[in-house]
Amino acid sequence: YNHRVVDSISSSTASTSSSSPTRGTPIRKSLQCAVCGDVALGKHYGVNACNGCKGFFRRSIWKNRTYACRHGGKCLVAKEQRNACRSCRLTRCLDVGMNPRAVQGDTVEDPEWDEEAMPETLSISTQTDALKVKKKSHTSLFTLDIKKEQIIDNLRAIYARTDPEEFWKLTYPGTYDFRYAFHNTKVVSPRTPLTPTAERIATLNDVVADFRRAFVLFVDILKSIDQLRDVQEDDKMKIAKSRFAAFYWWLCSTWSAKAGCNGVCYSNGSYHPASISDMPKSEGKHGVRIDYSGVSQKSLENLVEPLRRMELSDEERIVGAVMVILADPVPNVSTKTEKILAEARDFYLELLGYCIKLPEEQQGIRVSTMVLLLASIMELVHLTTDNIQLSDVLHVIDLGDWSQELRDHRYRRQF
Amino acid sequence: YNHRVVDSISSSTASTSSSSPTRGTPIRKSLQCAVCGDVALGKHYGVNACNGCKGFFRRSIWKNRTYACRHGGKCLVAKEQRNACRSCRLTRCLDVGMNPRAVQGDTVEDPEWDEEAMPETLSISTQTDALKVKKKSHTSLFTLDIKKEQIIDNLRAIYARTDPEEFWKLTYPGTYDFRYAFHNTKVVSPRTPLTPTAERIATLNDVVADFRRAFVLFVDILKSIDQLRDVQEDDKMKIAKSRFAAFYWWLCSTWSAKAGCNGVCYSNGSYHPASISDMPKSEGKHGVRIDYSGVSQKSLENLVEPLRRMELSDEERIVGAVMVILADPVPNVSTKTEKILAEARDFYLELLGYCIKLPEEQQGIRVSTMVLLLASIMELVHLTTDNIQLSDVLHVIDLGDWSQELRDHRYRRQF
DNA sequence: AATCGTCCAGAGTACACTGAA
DNA sequence: ATTCAGTGTACTCTGGACGAT
Ligand SMILES: [Zn+2]
Ligand SMILES: [Zn+2]
Ligand SMILES: [Zn+2]
Ligand SMILES: [Zn+2]
């Protein structure tokens, strides 16, 4: 998606007829860096730029640098002294049109996890030039905005992702253990488009399909959370097992709030009306029994109603979903994992603030309001967990384990 | 009515199918890349794929790349982050069915100005995407030697290759089918350093770990053999299954000879003393039962003793290992595969001669001597195959199949 | 029309080097 | 003196455009 088409000017441009065409062939009308005047080898981030300015701009964007000029911002930026004032150099980069969004985030992520006070030689070396980025540094305030945008874009894309149409009807009969399902989500559900439009009453099949589709979405998101990549496998499974239900209810309720339907809205365009008595109540052919009456109906309302009033933006909904996943501590994981989770939690909390487009002093309130809703979600989770035959719905075995962990989780919370 | 509000998330991927006549004919337009989900323009190498994945796959196959994932091979491969992990991207390419054989070998002929005579024309000029080199046309001594050096270097690098240290202790419980294990060797063993130094007595765990590590090395080598690239997948599996045991014994015996220990030397610094009665004999907790007494002990000596006297160089050991893999005909493969194998055999035989740094007239003898040892190896293979619970050792299921083929192989040889 | 390969601008990465702390 | 983030050259890799079947 890079490789901006942009040019359109390219050819010709030269116009500045090469004053002195050096001898025959070489041509390559020597370009000039729009920033410093040095020789440019081509376009970089949208403008002709020399290697130095190219690298300088990329590094500045990666870390979210903000420099200050000591001379009133009037420094000349030319080849010989381009390194004299970073502020003016960066300003000029932007002025001549360098596009920060053209900087990608590619490549291997940082190792990140050393930390331990080990001055030890043994510097593993490796690692790319750049990406230390985070590290102990001032994590809080100045994490890169570009990086944030990328993460949000990425999440957005995950929601939009669909499998090729010919797979939409495909089902994989049989049961699989959780770990297998986690790594081969296609056995649970294909990635059909997510269209929570509440156009028709849900059938039991809709509910089941939605639940399974949500699981795939959940796994996709979980896998995209950078910080969790290095969590050990079994802890990752524990996280997945213990957070899916919460995630699912977040999806349902935010979609319901958005669609404005009176009931539970599903991803495939159907919805489950509230307070209608003809809803399928028990013993579906898939064994789904969701008790929406009584307390849990009330709980759902407790969630949907505030959400409706908040009118979440898409970004908030998306990042909020990640927060739901990370919000609660996961029982029985290693301390290292706990630490990673806490870090991720902080990061996404900040990201959540970032995507609230409000004056800074109001951001905190809105974030808090959203986080408060997590309590409602957890209540829903606990109320419904036992009533949903997860194993039947997802066709995932190993549920003895899974539901056990869900249960552990609940009990722990109750005390 | 009611245009689908579609995705709570707009933008990106949207087909933007402007016109789109109301015709009843269902879309059939924007396809999706089976690898990353980006828009696909059509099939490439057998599956719908975007330009990026198409190019990536072709380049990887051409250069015979083998990547290593730094996150356990579970990276999500989606458009936005497909460049984050090459290993997982390539694995996914293969998983969704991209066919390496569909990558056409090379450009049409390549004139290959034979009589350059000038070693240093230095006309690097266009650095085309495709590295030429290749070609195996007779004559052209210089280029061919360079190619040979490259291959040897490459093999050497494979032996030296290790995964990041944090993976050395990682294990993937569970069982996998052979093909999966072949393409995802990390489930069998991480790439720990190969240090056949015979420093301590081997425990059963050492034996198991070594066996598994050797399998990974074996697969790495197998994948690096140019000629086998065009072999169809199932034949490749047959080759792998039928040659591993021989390869393993070659490793053991050459290392044992090199380390000078009296017994079997393993890759992790341990060794299994010969003619000591306290060796673990049966029913290890991993179910490994290797009978080193009697005939097979004798056979091992038949192999190690000559090897010791030959004092193989590292190059000879390394190329010899490839020869071991290619030496015997593999049962039940297509005639095309047989032909390819024969070609490869010839090529590596020549290569073996090349790395023997002796007067040309003595090369032939040394090569022959080495090849003769293959007979001893095959004997070892047949004597021990039935005594090793491969499935338990490698944690690879599908062994009914595997061991069956090993057996077929043996029977065929006996006649 | 479909699917190969090639080209090459412009992304990224490795590493020797610079210079301030 | 040493460290170490930043700089810039010299590469590799990516993927959209396009040519060849
Ligand atoms: Zn410049
Ligand atoms: Zn300035
Ligand atoms: Zn793709
Ligand atoms: Zn990976």
Side-chain angles (χ1 to χ4, degrees):
Chain A
Y1 65 21
N2 16 26
H3 304 168
R4 303 246 174 275
V5 184
V6 187
D7 2 292
S8 72
I9 330 164
S10 57
S11 53
S12 62
T13 32
S15 64
T16 56
S17 62
S18 51
S19 49
S20 60
T22 53
R23 233 72 348 158
T25 49
I27 343 91
R28 227 13 144 247
K29 35 66 161 6
S30 60
L31 299 170
Q32 253 199 328
C33 173
V35 178
C36 74
D38 197 356
V39 281
L41 286 79
K43 292 204 173 183
H44 294 294
Y45 310 114
V47 306
N48 291 327
C50 67
N51 272 325
C53 293
K54 164 194 170 190
F56 170 77
F57 187 68
R58 180 174 17 77
R59 284 189 295 265
S60 297
I61 295 301
W62 264 345
K63 336 215 153 163
N64 187 183
R65 286 298 162 73
T66 313
Y67 308 111
C69 172
R70 301 162 172 275
H71 305 92
K74 300 258 165 54
C75 309
L76 179 64
V77 181
K79 182 187 178 190
E80 297 71 22
Q81 73 261 20
R82 63 189 175 202
N83 283 317
C85 176
R86 293 197 177 106
S87 171
C88 290
R89 190 181 189 183
L90 181 55
T91 301
R92 182 142 176 82
C93 283
L94 293 165
D95 282 350
V96 300
M98 277 197 173
N99 179 5
R101 307 216 46 155
V103 176
Q104 307 177 333
D106 250 8
T107 75
V108 210
E109 284 303 325
D110 45 358
E112 177 70 347
W113 74 300
D114 39 320
E115 204 63 3
E116 269 30 353
M118 292 316 285
E120 216 57 329
T121 48
L122 211 282
S123 62
I124 301 182
S125 69
T126 57
Q127 259 8 267
T128 49
D129 190 347
L131 51 89
K132 311 291 204 148
V133 190
K134 312 174 81 184
K135 226 55 232 212
K136 72 268 243 62
S137 64
H138 16 281
T139 5
S140 48
L141 288 180
F142 295 94
T143 26
L144 20 172
D145 280 2
I146 292 293
K147 177 88 174 180
K148 286 178 183 167
E149 288 288 352
Q150 283 175 349
I151 290 176
I152 294 173
D153 280 351
N154 189 18
L155 284 169
R156 197 181 281 123
I158 289 175
Y159 280 76
R161 179 175 174 196
T162 59
D163 288 328
E165 197 165 342
E166 57 266 36
F167 293 116
W168 294 357
K169 295 292 180 190
L170 224 57
T171 61
Y172 290 77
T175 55
Y176 306 86
D177 76 24
F178 186 87
R179 183 160 171 273
Y180 185 84
F182 185 88
H183 291 301
N184 303 273
T185 55
K186 64 173 178 297
V187 303
V188 175
S189 166
R191 293 185 185 81
T192 49
L194 301 173
T195 55
T197 46
E199 292 168 336
R200 63 174 199 283
I201 306 285
T203 66
L204 249 182
N205 274 337
D206 285 327
V207 179
V208 174
D210 173 70
F211 197 71
R212 296 166 68 89
R213 176 67 184 88
F215 179 77
V216 176
L217 177 63
F218 171 71
V219 172
D220 283 343
I221 291 174
L222 206 52
K223 284 181 180 169
S224 82
I225 299 176
D226 249 38
Q227 291 89 343
L228 300 189
R229 291 228 298 204
D230 295 325
V231 168
Q232 62 201 67
E233 186 73 8
D234 55 339
D235 277 356
K236 218 180 284 183
M237 292 305 111
K238 284 177 189 164
I239 295 169
K241 288 175 183 174
S242 77
R243 308 308 303 158
F244 174 58
F247 171 83
Y248 181 66
W249 285 114
W250 171 265
L251 269 197
C252 280
S253 46
T254 53
W255 282 345
S256 301
K258 184 187 183 188
C261 68
N262 183 28
V264 184
C265 176
Y266 298 113
S267 65
N268 54 10
S270 64
Y271 76 105
H272 194 78
S275 60
I276 300 280
S277 58
D278 66 0
M279 69 180 85
K281 203 158 242 151
S282 62
E283 266 33 59
K285 68 174 165 180
H286 284 278
V288 182
R289 291 171 313 200
I290 305 179
D291 177 16
Y292 285 149
S293 61
V295 181
S296 60
Q297 171 64 45
K298 194 79 191 341
S299 298
L300 188 59
E301 283 306 319
N302 286 344
L303 186 51
V304 173
E305 191 44 40
L307 280 171
R308 205 181 327 247
R309 273 186 276 106
M310 289 188 75
E311 295 186 350
L312 296 181
S313 69
D314 288 338
E315 283 74 20
E316 290 167 332
R317 237 188 305 277
I318 290 171
V319 179
V322 181
M323 271 311 295
V324 169
I325 295 174
L326 299 171
D328 253 24
V330 176
N332 305 324
V333 295
S334 72
T335 53
K336 178 164 172 253
T337 301
E338 271 174 9
K339 197 160 147 258
I340 291 174
L341 279 171
E343 260 174 40
R345 192 151 47 233
D346 290 344
F347 178 83
Y348 278 92
L349 204 51
E350 194 189 327
L351 189 64
L352 189 54
Y354 174 80
C355 55
I356 293 177
K357 303 305 180 195
L358 281 179
E360 220 163 333
E361 65 274 14
Q362 295 177 42
Q363 282 183 13
I365 297 175
R366 194 168 169 87
V367 171
S368 309
T369 312
M370 284 179 67
V371 173
L372 264 181
L373 293 175
L374 297 179
S376 306
I377 290 190
M378 288 322 295
E379 199 180 333
L380 257 178
V381 170
H382 303 145
L383 286 169
T384 57
T385 295
D386 290 340
N387 290 328
I388 304 181
Q389 306 290 324
L390 293 173
S391 59
D392 288 340
V393 176
L394 290 182
H395 284 196
V396 169
I397 58 170
D398 189 20
L399 249 290
D401 203 25
W402 186 1
S403 51
Q404 187 56 51
E405 277 177 64
L406 281 170
R407 230 182 305 280
D408 289 349
H409 191 47
R410 180 175 67 169
Y411 290 151
R412 192 163 126 161
R413 274 182 57 84
Q414 286 181 331
F415 286 174
Chain B
Y1 49 92
N2 188 332
H3 295 324
R4 17 154 115 300
V5 180
V6 185
D7 60 297
S8 32
I9 324 88
S10 51
S11 79
S12 70
T13 49
S15 51
T16 15
S17 62
S18 46
S19 54
S20 177
T22 53
R23 201 64 296 184
T25 52
I27 0 71
R28 194 66 68 250
K29 11 186 36 171
S30 64
L31 297 169
Q32 257 199 320
C33 173
V35 177
C36 74
D38 196 357
V39 280
L41 286 78
K43 290 203 172 187
H44 294 293
Y45 311 114
V47 305
N48 291 328
C50 67
N51 268 323
C53 293
K54 164 196 168 188
F56 172 77
F57 187 68
R58 179 174 27 74
R59 286 190 297 267
S60 298
I61 296 301
W62 263 346
K63 303 188 180 175
N64 203 19
R65 285 290 167 76
T66 312
Y67 309 111
C69 172
R70 301 163 76 179
H71 299 91
K74 302 284 166 27
C75 308
L76 180 67
V77 180
K79 183 189 177 194
E80 298 68 26
Q81 68 228 56
R82 63 188 174 204
N83 283 316
C85 178
R86 296 193 176 102
S87 169
C88 290
R89 189 181 190 183
L90 181 56
T91 300
R92 180 142 180 86
C93 283
L94 292 165
D95 283 350
V96 300
M98 275 197 176
N99 180 192
R101 284 179 305 154
V103 176
Q104 299 172 349
D106 37 75
T107 72
V108 203
E109 274 336 304
D110 188 355
E112 185 139 39
W113 351 324
D114 303 334
E115 63 285 346
E116 16 79 272
M118 294 317 279
E120 258 61 45
T121 316
L122 214 290
S123 64
I124 299 178
S125 65
T126 52
Q127 45 163 112
T128 26
D129 222 351
L131 62 175
K132 13 254 346 187
V133 192
K134 238 178 134 177
K135 255 338 35 96
K136 65 112 78 154
S137 66
H138 32 93
T139 58
S140 69
L141 330 153
F142 244 110
T143 46
L144 207 47
D145 276 4
I146 288 176
K147 174 78 175 177
K148 284 176 183 169
E149 288 291 352
Q150 282 177 348
I151 290 177
I152 293 173
D153 280 350
N154 190 22
L155 284 170
R156 199 180 280 123
I158 289 175
Y159 279 75
R161 179 178 170 197
T162 58
D163 288 328
E165 195 164 345
E166 57 266 34
F167 293 116
W168 295 357
K169 296 291 181 192
L170 222 58
T171 61
Y172 290 76
T175 55
Y176 306 87
D177 76 24
F178 186 88
R179 184 160 173 273
Y180 185 84
F182 185 86
H183 288 299
N184 303 274
T185 54
K186 64 177 172 301
V187 302
V188 175
S189 167
R191 293 185 184 81
T192 50
L194 301 173
T195 55
T197 45
E199 292 164 337
R200 63 172 201 285
I201 306 285
T203 65
L204 249 183
N205 274 337
D206 284 327
V207 179
V208 174
D210 174 70
F211 198 71
R212 296 165 69 89
R213 177 67 184 89
F215 179 77
V216 175
L217 177 63
F218 171 71
V219 173
D220 284 343
I221 291 174
L222 205 52
K223 284 179 179 169
S224 83
I225 300 176
D226 249 38
Q227 291 87 345
L228 300 189
R229 273 205 325 238
D230 298 333
V231 170
Q232 62 200 65
E233 186 72 9
D234 55 339
D235 276 355
K236 214 180 287 183
M237 292 305 112
K238 284 177 189 165
I239 295 170
K241 288 175 183 174
S242 77
R243 308 310 300 160
F244 174 58
F247 171 84
Y248 181 66
W249 285 116
W250 171 264
L251 267 197
C252 280
S253 44
T254 52
W255 282 346
S256 301
K258 183 188 184 186
C261 68
N262 184 28
V264 184
C265 176
Y266 298 113
S267 65
N268 54 10
S270 63
Y271 76 103
H272 192 77
S275 61
I276 299 282
S277 59
D278 66 0
M279 70 181 85
K281 201 157 247 152
S282 60
E283 271 23 66
K285 68 174 163 182
H286 284 279
V288 182
R289 289 172 314 201
I290 304 180
D291 177 17
Y292 284 148
S293 62
V295 182
S296 61
Q297 171 64 46
K298 193 78 193 335
S299 298
L300 187 60
E301 283 307 320
N302 286 344
L303 185 51
V304 174
E305 192 42 42
L307 279 171
R308 205 180 329 244
R309 273 186 276 106
M310 288 188 77
E311 294 186 352
L312 295 182
S313 70
D314 286 339
E315 284 75 18
E316 290 168 332
R317 238 187 304 278
I318 289 172
V319 179
V322 182
M323 272 311 294
V324 170
I325 295 174
L326 300 171
D328 252 25
V330 176
N332 305 324
V333 295
S334 71
T335 52
K336 174 155 174 267
T337 300
E338 271 174 8
K339 196 160 148 262
I340 291 174
L341 280 171
E343 260 174 42
R345 192 151 47 233
D346 291 345
F347 178 84
Y348 278 91
L349 206 50
E350 193 187 328
L351 189 64
L352 189 54
Y354 173 80
C355 56
I356 293 177
K357 302 306 181 194
L358 282 178
E360 220 162 333
E361 66 275 13
Q362 295 178 41
Q363 282 183 14
I365 297 175
R366 195 168 169 87
V367 172
S368 308
T369 313
M370 285 179 67
V371 173
L372 264 181
L373 294 175
L374 296 179
S376 305
I377 289 189
M378 289 322 295
E379 200 180 332
L380 257 179
V381 169
H382 302 146
L383 286 169
T384 57
T385 294
D386 289 339
N387 290 328
I388 304 180
Q389 306 291 323
L390 293 174
S391 59
D392 288 338
V393 176
L394 291 181
H395 283 197
V396 170
I397 57 170
D398 192 25
L399 248 290
D401 202 25
W402 186 1
S403 50
Q404 186 56 51
E405 279 178 63
L406 281 170
R407 229 181 307 280
D408 288 349
H409 189 50
R410 180 176 64 171
Y411 290 152
R412 192 165 125 161
R413 273 184 57 85
Q414 286 180 332
F415 285 175

